[in-house]
C-alpha cells in the first residue's frame, strides 16, 4: 500500500525538483559550442551549449546582454557563467546565463572584427564614398571633450601652423556608457550648422574598452552620412577604431589631424614670397614691353612738314596711276568697239540673206540626192523581203504537211476503228449511248447498239448469261 501524503501533483513535483537543483548545484563556468541559437521578438536569446558527448539548454535574458559586444553565432566556442534551474512549464533542465565571452579571443575584439566585416561588406569603407578634404579651410569643427588635453593640443598646433582658421568645439563625452550617442549628436550638430569646412573627431589614447564608443555601429553610420568631410583622430598611432575606417581621412593623433587639414603657414609664406617675386618679374617684363611699344609709336609719329611731303608724293603717284589707267581703259574700249563693229557687219541682214540663199540651194541639191538614194534603198530592200517571204512560206507549208502526215499516221494507230477492223466491237445503250462493260448494266428486252468496223447493229436483249 502507498501513503497518500507522498503523492505529488506534476507542478508540485517539478517545483520540488527545481528547488533541489537551485539549492544544491552552484553557479558554474562552462565551456562549449553554441547551437540552435534563437532570438525571438522578446529580445531573449535561447541556445544549446554542447560538446562531443552532451548538450544542455541555455537562456540568456535581455537584461544580461548589456555587456556583450560581440554577436553570438552557431558554432562559436564560448565560456559561460550560468546557474542551473528547471523550467517547470515544460520540465526542461536549463542554464540561466549570467555572462558569456568567446574562447580564444576577447569579447570586444570579436565584436570589433564582426562589425568591421559587416560594414565593409556594406561598402561603408569604400574609397569611392570618401569626401576630399577642402583646400582652403576657414573654420574647423572639433568633436571632443572640452576638459581633455586633446583640444589643447589641436589649438596649440593650429596656432603655430595655421593661426588663420577658426576653431569651433562641439563638446562631448568620449568615454563611458552612452558616450557614442553624445559623440553622434555632436557630429550631427556640427554638420547641420554648416559653419565648418572640415570636422575632426578626436580623443586621446586608452584601452580598447576606453575607445569602444568609437566602435559602435550607430556612430559609424552617422559619420558615413555626414556631408562635411570628417577626419578621425582616435587614440595613439597603434589604436584603430571603426570610426577610422568609415571617416573620410584618419590621422594617428589629434595633433596630426590638425596638421592634415591645414597648410603650413611657413610653406604658405614661402609660396607667397615666390608668387610675389614672380608677380614683380611679370610686372617689370610687362612694363618693358609697353615701353618698347611706346618707343616704336614715337618713331612712327611724323611732323606736319614730313607728313605733307609724304602726302604730296603719294598724290603724284596716285595721279600717275590714274592717267595710266584712263589711257589703258580707252584703248581697251576702242578695241572692243572695233570687234563689235566687225561682228555687227558679219551679222547684218543683207549678209545673212545671201548666206541663207546659198545654203538653201546647197541643201535642195543635197535633199534631192538623198530622196533618190532612199527610194532606191527601199526598193532593193522590198525585193529582198519579198524573196525571203516566199521562201519562208514554202518551207513552212512543207513542214506543216510533214507534221500532218505524221499525226494522221499516229491517229490511225490509236483510232477505235482500227481496233474494230480486227474483229472487235463496241456495245452501247441506245438512249444514253453508254458503253456496256458488264452484264450487270444490261436488262432483258433492252435495246442496244453494237458498232462494228463497217456499221452498227441494233438489237434487243433476249437473255443474259453471267460467267
Amino acid at each position: 500500500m502507498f501513503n497518500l501524503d507522498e503523492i505529488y501533483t506534476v507542478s508540485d513535483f517539478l517545483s520540488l525538483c527545481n528547488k533541489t537543483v537551485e539549492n544544491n548545484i552552484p553557479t558554474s563556468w562552462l565551456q562549449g559550442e553554441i547551437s540552435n541559437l534563437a532570438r525571438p521578438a522578446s529580445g531573449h536569446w535561447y541556445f544549446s551549449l554542447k560538446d562531443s558527448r552532451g548538450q544542455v539548454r541555455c537562456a540568456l535574458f535581455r537584461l544580461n546582454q548589456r555587456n556583450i559586444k560581440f554577436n553570438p553565432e552557431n558554432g562559436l566556442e564560448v565560456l559561460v557563467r550560468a546557474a542551473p534551474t528547471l523550467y517547470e512549464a515544460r520540465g526542461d533542465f536549463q542554464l540561466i546565463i549570467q555572462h558569456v565571452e568567446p574562447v580564444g579571443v576577447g569579447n570586444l575584439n570579436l565584436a570589433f572584427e564582426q562589425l568591421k566585416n559587416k560594414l565593409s561588406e556594406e561598402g561603408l569603407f569604400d574609397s569611392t564614398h570618401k569626401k576630399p578634404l577642402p583646400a582652403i579651410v576657414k573654420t574647423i569643427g572639433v568633436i571632443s571633450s572640452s576638459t581633455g588635453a586633446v583640444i589643447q593640443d589641436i589649438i596649440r598646433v593650429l596656432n603655430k601652423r595655421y593661426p588663420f582658421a577658426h576653431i569651433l568645439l562641439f563638446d562631448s563625452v568620449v568615454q563611458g556608457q552612452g558616450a557614442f550617442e553624445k559623440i553622434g549628436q555632436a557630429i550631427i550638430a556640427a554638420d547641420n550648422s554648416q559653419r565648418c569646412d572640415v570636422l575632426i573627431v578626436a580623443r586621446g589614447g586608452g584601452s580598447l574598452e576606453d575607445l569602444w564608443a568609437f566602435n559602435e555601429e550607430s556612430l559609424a553610420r552617422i559619420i558615413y552620412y555626414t556631408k562635411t568631410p570628417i577626419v578621425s583622430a582616435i587614440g595613439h598611432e597603434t589604436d584603430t577604431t571603426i570610426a577610422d575606417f568609415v571617416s573620410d581621412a584618419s590621422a594617428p593623433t589629434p595633433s596630426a589631424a590638425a596638421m592634415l587639414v591645414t597648410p603650413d603657414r611657413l610653406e604658405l609664406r614661402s609660396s607667397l614670397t615666390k608668387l610675389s617675386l614672380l608677380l614683380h618679374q611679370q610686372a617689370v617684363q610687362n612694363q618693358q614691353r609697353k615701353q618698347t611699344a611706346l618707343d616704336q609709336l614715337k618713331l612712327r609719329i611724323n611732323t606736319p612738314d614730313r607728313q605733307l611731303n609724304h602726302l604730296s608724293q603719294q598724290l603724284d603717284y596716285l595721279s600717275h596711276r590714274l592717267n595710266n589707267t584712263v589711257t589703258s581703259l580707252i584703248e581697251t574700249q576702242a578695241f572692243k568697239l572695233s570687234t563689235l563693229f566687225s561682228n555687227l557687219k558679219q551679222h547684218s541682214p543683207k549678209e545673212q540673206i545671201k548666206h541663207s540663199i546659198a545654203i538653201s540651194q546647197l541643201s535642195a541639191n543635197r535633199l534631192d540626192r538623198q530622196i533618190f538614194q532612199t527610194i532606191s534603198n527601199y526598193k532593193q530592200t522590198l525585193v529582198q523581203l519579198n524573196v525571203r517571204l516566199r521562201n519562208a512560206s514554202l518551207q513552212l507549208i512543207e513542214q506543216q504537211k510533214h507534221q500532218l502526215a505524221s499525226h494522221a499516221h499516229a491517229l490511225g494507230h490509236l483510232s477505235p476503228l482500227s481496233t474494230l477492223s480486227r474483229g472487235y466491237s463496241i456495245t452501247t445503250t441506245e438512249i444514253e449511248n453508254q458503253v456496256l462493260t458488264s452484264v450487270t448494266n444490261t436488262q432483258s428486252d433492252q435495246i442496244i447498239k453494237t458498232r462494228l468496223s463497217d456499221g452498227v447493229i441494233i438489237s434487243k436483249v433476249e437473255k443474259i448469261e453471267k460467267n
Side-chain angles (χ1 to χ4, degrees), residues 132-134 136-141 165-166 194-199 227-230:
L133 300 181
I136 300 177
V137 177
K138 296 181 180 179
T139 303
I140 301 173
H166 297 286
Q194 298 182 356
R195 299 173 59 188
C196 304
D197 300 308
V198 65
L199 302 179
K227 297 178 181 179
T228 309
I230 294 183

Side-chain angles (χ1 to χ4, degrees), residues 183-253:
I183 298 171
Q185 293 172 1
I187 293 176
I188 294 174
D191 188 40
N192 291 338
S193 70
Q194 298 182 356
R195 299 173 59 188
C196 304
D197 300 308
V198 65
L199 302 179
I200 297 177
V201 181
R203 187 202 187 283
S207 64
L208 182 59
E209 290 80 2
D210 296 336
L211 303 179
W212 190 254
F214 299 93
N215 292 323
E216 293 290 348
E217 180 177 356
S218 59
L219 179 61
R221 297 190 182 277
I222 290 175
I223 294 175
Y224 178 78
Y225 289 108
T226 299
K227 297 178 181 179
T228 309
I230 294 183
V231 177
S232 173
I234 313 300
H236 299 302
E237 296 184 6
T238 57
D239 296 325
T240 303
T241 64
I242 297 297
D244 294 329
F245 293 111
V246 74
S247 295
D248 300 305
S250 62
T253 62

Side-chain angles (χ1 to χ4, degrees), residues 1 10 44-45 124 259 301 356 422:
M1 296 295 294
V10 173
H44 308 316
W45 295 347
L124 268 68
M259 298 176 63
I301 296 176
S356 299
R422 295 197 299 270

Side-chain angles (χ1 to χ4, degrees), residues 346-372:
Q346 291 178 2
H347 293 84
S348 65
K350 182 178 179 181
E351 294 294 331
Q352 289 183 359
I353 290 172
K354 291 180 180 180
H355 183 67
S356 299
I357 292 173
I359 291 176
S360 299
Q361 291 177 354
L362 180 61
S363 299
N365 293 333
R366 290 180 179 177
L367 182 60
D368 292 340
R369 288 196 299 270
Q370 289 178 357
I371 293 174
F372 178 77

Side-chain angles (χ1 to χ4, degrees), residues 325-346:
T325 302
V326 170
T327 303
S328 177
L329 182 61
I330 292 173
E331 292 176 355
T332 302
Q333 296 299 326
F335 177 76
K336 290 183 177 179
L337 181 60
S338 176
T339 303
L340 290 174
F341 182 76
S342 177
N343 291 335
L344 181 61
K345 183 178 180 181
Q346 291 178 2

Side-chain angles (χ1 to χ4, degrees), residues 104-146:
V105 61
N107 178 12
L108 297 181
N109 287 329
L110 179 59
F112 178 84
E113 292 299 328
Q114 287 179 338
L115 181 58
K116 177 182 175 183
N117 294 333
K118 176 184 177 181
L119 298 182
S120 177
E121 291 176 357
E122 293 183 17
L124 268 68
F125 302 158
D126 292 349
S127 59
T128 55
H129 301 301
K130 297 186 181 300
K131 299 175 285 295
L133 300 181
I136 300 177
V137 177
K138 296 181 180 179
T139 303
I140 301 173
V142 179
I143 292 87
S144 187
S145 173
S146 60

